[in-house]
Amino acid sequence: MRALVSVSDKRGIEAFAAGLVEFGFEIISTGHTARTLATAGVPVRPVSDVTGFPEILGGRVKTLHPAIHAGILARRDDPDHMAALDVHGIAPIDLVVVNLYPFSETITRPDVTLAEAIEQIDIGGPAMVRAAAKNHPSVLVVVSPDDYDAVLTALRTETVTPELRRRLAARAFAHTAAYDAAIAGYLSGELFPETLPLAFRKAQDLRYGENPHQRAALYGDFHAFFEQLHGRELSYINILDIAAAQSLIEEFDPAAGAALAIVKHTNPCGAGVGATPLEAWEKAFATDREAPFGGIIAVNQMLDLPLAQAIDEIFSEIVIAPAFADDALALLRKKKNRRLMRALRPVGQSRGLVYHSVPGGILAQEPDLAPLDEEPFEVVTQRTPTDAERAALQFAWRIVKHVKSNAIVFAAADRTLGIGAGQMSRVDSTRVAVWKAQNAGLSLAGSVIASDALFPFPDSVEIAAEAGATAVIQPGGSVRDDEVIAAANRLGMAMVFTGRRHFLH
C-alpha cells in the first residue's frame, strides 16, 4: 500500500505517517513535508522518485504527473484501469493526505502583496485532493489533522467502511470549495461579484434553531469575536442576541465613559451612559424593568463588582463585556444558567456583507456601519435645538439605528426613556414608546424623539409633543415633510434631518 503525504498544516503529521508505516504503507512525499518526515525518522520516498521527474519552477510543478494521478484515479474494480497501470509501470496510491497552502491566512496580513497571495494558490494539492475524493471507494483522502486518529483507528480495527470513505471525501470537497471561494473572493475585488463565493466551516451544531423542532448549526468564526467564560452552550437565538447587543454597544467609545445596553429578542429595551458601569446600568434598566428578565446585557468597559451585584438581582440570559473583574466573575458564575461572554474584538469593523436567506437564494448588503458623526445635522424648524437637546438627539440616534423598524426612541442625553419597535405603522411605534415610558414611571417632559426613517404624517410628532418631547431627529424625505415641519413649529419643537435612514429588518 502507498500513501501520498503533502501537507501545509503539519500538526501531528509525523505521528500519523509513522502510524501508516506500521500498517505497511510506503510514504511518498514532497518538499518540506518529506524533509519533516525524514527528520522525524519516518521512512519517506521523494515524489520525484515516483515520477522520474524533478520538482521544477520553485515547486510549482511536482505532483502533476500521470504516475501520481493515474495511481490515485485508477478504479480498482475496473480491469482496464488496472491493466493500464501495469502497462505503464504505475503502482496504485491508496491514501492521500493533503491540505492546501495557507491562502486565507496569508491574505489576512495587512501588508500582503498580490504576488505573495498568488504564490499561496495551490495547484497540485487541490488536483490530488479532488482526484482522491472522486475515487474514494478505492482511495482514502484526509485533509485535516482532526481526522488522523479516526483513520488510524479504522485501519487498526479493519473498519475502513464505505461510510467513512464517503465522509472523508465530502470533507475533501468542502476543503477545496472553501479554498477556491477564498481565492475567488480575493481576486475579484468586487463587493458584489457575479458569482458569490461562500464557504464557511461548521463551528458547532446547535441544540435547535428558533424553535425546538428546527435543527440548526453555527458556521464561520463567531468564536473569534467572543470567548464564553461560563454557562450552558449557546443557542441559535442567543447568538443572534449577542450580535445585536454587541453591535449596539460598539456605538459608544469606552474612553468617553461607560455605556450599557439591555437587549431582548435583538431589540434594545434600555440603554444608558454614566460615569461608572453601575450608573449606566441603572439608567438602562430604568427604561423597562420587565423586559430585561432573560435578556442580554452588554457593557463597553470592564464589568466590576458593583455592576455584577446589580445584575445578579435579576435573571439575565447573557452578559457581555470586554473584561470581567475577578470578583465580579466569581459572583456571576454562581448561576449556572447565566452565560458570560468576553468580547474579543469589535464586531462592527470586522464584518463583510450581511446576508439574509430568501426562497431560492440570498440577499446580500453592506453592513450599516456609516459613522453617525459624519451625518448632517440639518435644523429644519424655526427653533434650533439647545445644547442639551442636541446631546439627547445624538444619543437617541445611536440607539434607534439598532431598533427594528418601524423604530421610535424617546431619550435624554444619557438614557433611553421609551422604545417602540417593529410596529406596522410608525405612529403605533410612537404610541408603544410612550406607553412603555409611562409603564416604567418615566416622564417624557423635555425628552427628544428619534425615528429611524421619515415621518409620513405629522401624527407621531404630535403624539410625541403631547407626551413631553421637545426635539426630533429623523432622516427626512417624506412628501409631507412640510406638514411635519409645520407641526413641529406649531408645537414649539426643534427638528433636525440627517438625510440618512437606518432601517433594520
Side-chain angles (χ1 to χ4, degrees), residues 74-77 94 131-140 160-162 165-166 169:
R75 289 178 52 180
R76 307 319 193 246
D77 60 352
D94 306 289
K134 176 176 180 175
N135 200 27
H136 66 270
S138 301
V139 181
L140 276 172
V160 180
T161 63
R165 291 178 177 276
R166 184 170 179 174

Side-chain angles (χ1 to χ4, degrees), residues 271-288:
V273 296
T276 65
L278 178 60
E279 183 181 341
W281 157 262
E282 290 169 344
K283 294 173 181 178
F285 185 52
T287 306
D288 189 333

Side-chain angles (χ1 to χ4, degrees), residues 445-456:
S447 67
V448 304
I449 178 176
S451 173
D452 66 337
L454 57 83
F455 287 109

